[in-house]
C-alpha cells in the first residue's frame, strides 16, 4: 500500500518544483536564524536571494559532522528552544555528542516518512509492529514507534535486548512486522533455533532493518531464518533518524522521501557532484526541517542514486545499499564508534601516544570489540593484579565514552605491528558475507 499517494507518486517535475520552493525557504531560514550558516554563506558572497531553486543547490556550502561538534550543543538549531519538543543525540568523538532538535512539525514529518516506509513494506492498520530498535537518545526506537502508530498498527515497544522474550512476543503476540538492526535479526534467528521455535510458528511478514551496513547474503539468510521479506531502511540522526529512505517490496534500492530530503552524490576527494548512477558519498539537504535543518550534509556513506521508475509506482529516487564509509567510523552493535574516541581515552592513561589496535569481530551475530594496548616496559614489570586493575580502569573509561562494553587487553611491549605509513588501528574481522 502507498501511504501518501499524491506525494509518493508525483511526477519528477512536481517533485522538483516542491524541492525548489522548499530549498528557497530553508536557505532563507538558516541564513536568518543560524549564525553558522550566515557566516558560511557570507564568506563566499552568497545571499538567500541568490538561491532560486534546485539548480542553485551546488552553490551552497556543504556541512559536516565537525560543524555540528563546533557548534555543540544547540548552535545549529534554527528554531528557538521553546519550539523544540524533542532532542536526540548520537555518539561523537572525544565524548561530544551530535545533538539534534525537532519541532512538533519535524516530529510530524518524521512520523509521516516512517509511515511511508512501513507502508511500502506492506504494514498497515491490521499489522502488529514490534519495535526492537533501542528507545532513548538513539533515534531508532522512537522513530519507528511514531511511524507505526501513525499507520494505526498495534505497536509493541520491546526495545532491543532480552532476545528470548522478544521471540516469545513474536510468537505469542503474533507480530507481523519487526524493526531492528540486521545483525540482531540474525541473532533472533539463531536464538529461535536454540529455543526450538520454528519459523512456521511465527507470523512475521516483513522486517525493516537498518542502522548498520549489511549485504544481500545477509538478506537471504534473515529471510530464510525468519520467513519474512527483509527490507533495508536508512537514516542518520543528523538528518532525521530512520526512514530518510526505505526499500519497498521490490527490494531494489531505498526510496528517498524527496519532498523532504534532497540527495546528491559527490566525489569525496574532489567534492564534485557526480552523475546519476555513479557511486560516491551521499549528501542530504533537509528542506522541510525547522529544528535543525542541514544544508548539503556530508553523510560519509557511500551509495548511488537510481532515477529509473520503480515498479511499485513510487516515483521517489532510490539509493542503493550503503557499501562503505569515506571516513573511519565503525558501527558496533548499532553504536557509532570512531577510533579517535578510543585513542583519546587511552591517552588519559599514559604519557606518550599509545600503541594500540582495535579488533572487531562478530560472534553469534553479535559485534565484539577488543582494544589491545601495549604496556610500557615499566608496566610490564608490574604485578599481574596491577595490570588487571589498569585493564578494568580503561574498560570502564571506554564504556562511559563509547556507551558500549569493549574488552581491553594489555599486551607485551612491541607486540603490536608497527606500520611504515598510516598505523593500521582497526582490524575488522566481521565478514559481512
Ligand atoms: P540512526 O540513529 O538512524 O542509526 P546514527 O546517526 O546513529 O543514526 O547512525 C547513522 C549511520 O548509520 C549512517 O550514517 C550509516 O553509516 C549507518 N546506517 C544507517 N542505516 C543504514 C543502512 N540501512 N545501511 C547501512 N548503514 C546504515
Ligand atoms: Zn518501489
Amino acid at each position: 500500500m502507498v501511504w501518501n499517494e499524491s506525494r509518493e507518486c508525483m511526477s519528477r517535475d512536481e517533485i522538483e518544483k516542491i524541492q525548489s520552493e522548499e530549498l528557497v525557504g530553508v536557505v532563507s531560514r538558516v541564513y536568518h536564524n543560524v549564525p553558522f550558516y550566515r557566516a558560511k554563506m557570507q564568506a563566499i558572497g552568497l545571499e538567500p536571494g541568490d538561491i532560486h531553486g534546485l539548480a542553485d543547490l551546488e552553490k551552497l556550502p556543504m556541512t559536516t559532522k565537525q560543524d555540528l561538534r563546533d557548534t555543540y550543543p544547540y548552535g545549529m538549531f534554527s528554531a528557538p528552544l521553546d519550539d523544540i519538543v524533542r532532542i536526540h543525540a548520537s555518539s561523537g568523538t572525544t565524548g561530544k555528542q551530535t545533538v539534534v532538535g525537532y519541532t512538533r512539525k519535524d516530529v510530524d514529518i518524521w512520523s509521516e516518512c516512517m509511515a511511508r516506509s512501513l507502508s511500502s513494506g506492506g504494514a498497515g492498520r491490521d499489522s502488529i509492529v514490534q519495535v526492537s530498535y533501542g528507545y532513548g537518545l538513539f533515534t531508532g526506537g522512537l522513530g519507528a514507534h511514531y511511524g507505526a502508530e501513525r499507520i494505526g498498527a498495534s505497536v509493541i515497544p520491546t526495545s532491543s535486548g532480552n532476545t528470548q522474550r522478544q521471540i516469545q512476543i513474536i510468537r505469542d503476540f503474533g507480530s507481523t512486522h519487526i524493526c531492528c538492526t540486521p545483525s540482531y535479526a540474525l541473532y533472533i534467528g539463531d536464538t529461535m533455533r536454540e529455543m526450538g521455535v520454528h519459523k512456521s510458528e511465527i507470523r512475521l511478514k516483513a522486517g525493516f532493518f537498518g542502522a548498520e551496513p549489511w549485504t544481500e547474503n545477509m538478506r537471504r539468510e534473515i529471510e530464510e531464518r525468519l520467513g519474512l521479506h527483509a527490507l533495508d531502511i536508512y537514516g542518520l540522526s543528523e538528518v532525521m533518524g530512520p526512514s530518510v529512505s526505505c526499500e519497498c517490496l521490490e527490494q531494489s534500492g531505498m526510496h528517498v522521501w524527496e519532498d523532504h530530503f534532497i540527495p546528491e552524490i559527490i566525489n569525496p576527494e574532489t567534492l564534485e557532484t557526480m552523475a546519476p548512477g555513479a557511486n560516491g558519498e551521499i549528501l542530504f539537504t533537509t528542506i522541510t526541517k525547522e529544528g535543525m535543518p542541514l544544508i548539503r550534509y556530508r553523510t560519509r556513506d557511500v551509495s548511488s542514486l537510481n532515477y529509473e521508475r520503480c515498479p511499485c509506482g513510487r516515483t521517489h529516487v532510490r539509493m542503493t545499499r550503503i557499501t562503505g564509509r569515506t571516513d573511519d567510523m565503525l558501527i558496533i552493535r548499532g553504536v557509532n564508534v570512531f577510533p579517535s574516541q578510543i585513542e583519546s581515552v587511552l591517552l588519559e592513561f599514559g604519557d606518550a601516544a599509545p600503541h594500540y589496535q582495535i579488533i572487531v569481530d562478530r560472534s553469534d551475530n553479535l559485534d565484539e570489540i577488543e582494544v589491545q594496548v601495549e604496556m610500557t616496559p615499566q608496566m610490564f614489570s608490574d604485578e599481574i593484579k596491577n595490570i588487571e586493575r589498569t585493564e578494568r580502569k580503561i574498560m570502564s573509561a571506554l564504556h562511559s565514552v563509547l556507551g558500549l562494553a569493549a574488552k581491553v587487553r594489555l599486551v607485551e611491549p612491541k607486540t603490536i605491528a608497527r606500520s611504515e605509513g598510516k598505523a593500521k588501528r582497526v582490524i575488522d574481522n566481521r565478514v559481512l558475507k
Side-chain angles (χ1 to χ4, degrees), residues 138-139 210-213 232-233 235-238 301 322 325 331 336:
F138 170 64
T139 52
E212 65 181 10
D232 201 358
I233 183 164
L236 60 166
S237 43
E238 298 92 309
D301 290 320
I322 303 291
R325 300 262 315 162
I331 303 184
N336 302 349

Side-chain angles (χ1 to χ4, degrees), residues 120 247-253 255 310-314 316 318:
S120 59
E247 273 184 337
C248 60
L249 287 168
E250 298 294 327
Q251 298 182 308
S252 66
H255 289 285
C310 182
C312 77
R314 292 177 184 80
H316 293 219
R318 282 170 290 165

Side-chain angles (χ1 to χ4, degrees), residues 53-196:
L54 203 50
D56 298 318
L57 183 62
E58 281 178 42
K59 293 182 185 160
L60 290 159
M62 296 173 190
T63 315
T64 65
K65 204 177 181 95
Q66 188 58 43
D67 295 329
L68 302 189
R69 292 193 194 114
D70 294 344
T71 55
Y72 173 88
Y74 298 144
M76 297 292 275
F77 284 19
S78 175
L81 277 178
D82 275 8
D83 294 337
I84 299 290
V85 298
R86 177 95 65 80
I87 293 172
H88 280 284
S90 87
S91 52
T93 49
T94 60
K96 265 198 186 178
Q97 324 202 35
T98 307
V99 182
V100 284
Y102 304 75
T103 63
R104 204 171 289 287
K105 182 179 162 207
D106 293 336
V107 173
D108 188 58
I109 288 176
W110 186 9
S111 311
E112 154 83 17
C113 290
M114 192 68 211
R116 292 181 190 178
S117 302
L118 292 166
S119 304
S120 59
R125 280 178 66 82
D126 56 349
S127 303
I128 301 174
V129 179
Q130 185 160 334
V131 180
S132 310
Y133 283 117
Y135 281 63
L137 282 179
F138 170 64
T139 52
L142 282 167
H145 185 106
Y146 272 55
E149 279 195 354
R150 175 65 57 93
I151 62 170
S154 315
V155 194
I156 315 180
T158 52
S159 195
S160 52
N162 203 342
T163 311
Q164 297 209 355
R165 195 181 59 168
Q166 300 268 3
I167 293 167
Q168 233 171 42
I169 289 175
I170 292 174
R171 187 188 54 197
D172 299 349
F173 296 16
S175 308
T176 57
H177 295 80
I178 186 163
C179 307
C180 64
T181 59
S183 56
Y184 195 57
L186 280 175
Y187 186 67
I188 289 177
D190 289 345
T191 313
M192 266 173 56
R193 200 175 308 168
E194 281 163 24
M195 289 167 67

Side-chain angles (χ1 to χ4, degrees), residues 4 53 101 148 155 167 187 219 267 291 362 427:
N4 188 343
V155 194
I167 293 167
Y187 186 67
R219 189 204 304 266
N267 174 328
R362 188 167 276 185
I427 299 178

Side-chain angles (χ1 to χ4, degrees), residues 166-390:
Q166 300 268 3
I167 293 167
Q168 233 171 42
I169 289 175
I170 292 174
R171 187 188 54 197
D172 299 349
F173 296 16
S175 308
T176 57
H177 295 80
I178 186 163
C179 307
C180 64
T181 59
S183 56
Y184 195 57
L186 280 175
Y187 186 67
I188 289 177
D190 289 345
T191 313
M192 266 173 56
R193 200 175 308 168
E194 281 163 24
M195 289 167 67
V197 175
H198 189 258
K199 66 181 175 191
S200 60
E201 297 173 58
I202 64 173
R203 291 178 54 208
L204 287 177
K205 291 184 194 155
F208 302 85
F209 305 121
E212 65 181 10
W214 54 311
T215 60
E216 283 306 312
N217 276 326
M218 284 175 73
R219 189 204 304 266
R220 275 192 290 278
E221 186 82 33
I222 295 171
E223 294 193 329
E224 164 58 28
R225 289 191 202 181
L226 300 180
L228 46 59
H229 294 289
L231 306 174
D232 201 358
I233 183 164
Y234 171 84
L236 60 166
S237 43
E238 298 92 309
V239 171
M240 178 69 99
S243 86
V244 169
S245 63
C246 184
E247 273 184 337
C248 60
L249 287 168
E250 298 294 327
Q251 298 182 308
S252 66
M254 302 175 272
H255 289 285
V256 178
W257 305 121
E258 279 188 278
D259 46 340
H260 299 293
F261 314 106
I262 306 178
E264 294 173 85
I265 300 284
I266 60 157
N267 174 328
E269 305 294 329
T270 64
L271 305 188
E272 275 160 27
T273 308
M274 298 175 83
N279 227 34
E281 181 178 330
I282 190 157
L283 263 56
F284 291 98
T285 299
T286 67
I287 44 179
T288 52
K289 263 174 82 177
E290 296 177 333
M292 200 187 86
L294 288 177
I295 306 292
R296 308 191 75 200
Y297 183 69
R298 293 191 59 182
T299 63
R300 305 284 178 174
D301 290 320
V302 177
S303 180
S304 65
L305 295 172
N306 174 5
Y307 285 90
E308 280 165 35
R309 200 61 183 257
C310 182
C312 77
R314 292 177 184 80
T315 49
H316 293 219
V317 67
R318 282 170 290 165
M319 59 185 269
T320 54
R321 187 184 276 301
I322 303 291
T323 53
R325 300 262 315 162
T326 63
D327 65 7
D328 56 0
M329 186 179 91
L330 296 162
I331 303 184
I332 316 278
R333 275 176 258 145
V335 179
N336 302 349
V337 173
F338 289 90
S340 54
Q341 284 174 287
I342 293 176
E343 185 162 331
S344 71
V345 169
L346 297 178
L347 280 170
E348 291 168 21
F349 287 87
D351 0 79
H355 289 291
Y356 69 94
Q357 208 154 40
I358 301 163
I359 294 146
V360 190
D361 238 310
R362 188 167 276 185
S363 127
D364 292 336
N365 295 309
L366 284 181
D367 294 335
E368 284 176 353
I369 176 166
E370 177 175 290
V371 182
Q372 299 184 348
V373 194
E374 262 184 29
M375 288 182 272
T376 56
Q378 97 239 27
M379 270 166 101
F380 187 47
S381 58
D382 234 347
E383 284 177 51
I384 285 282
K385 68 170 192 300
N386 289 341
I387 294 175
E388 285 172 352
R389 180 148 21 114
T390 311

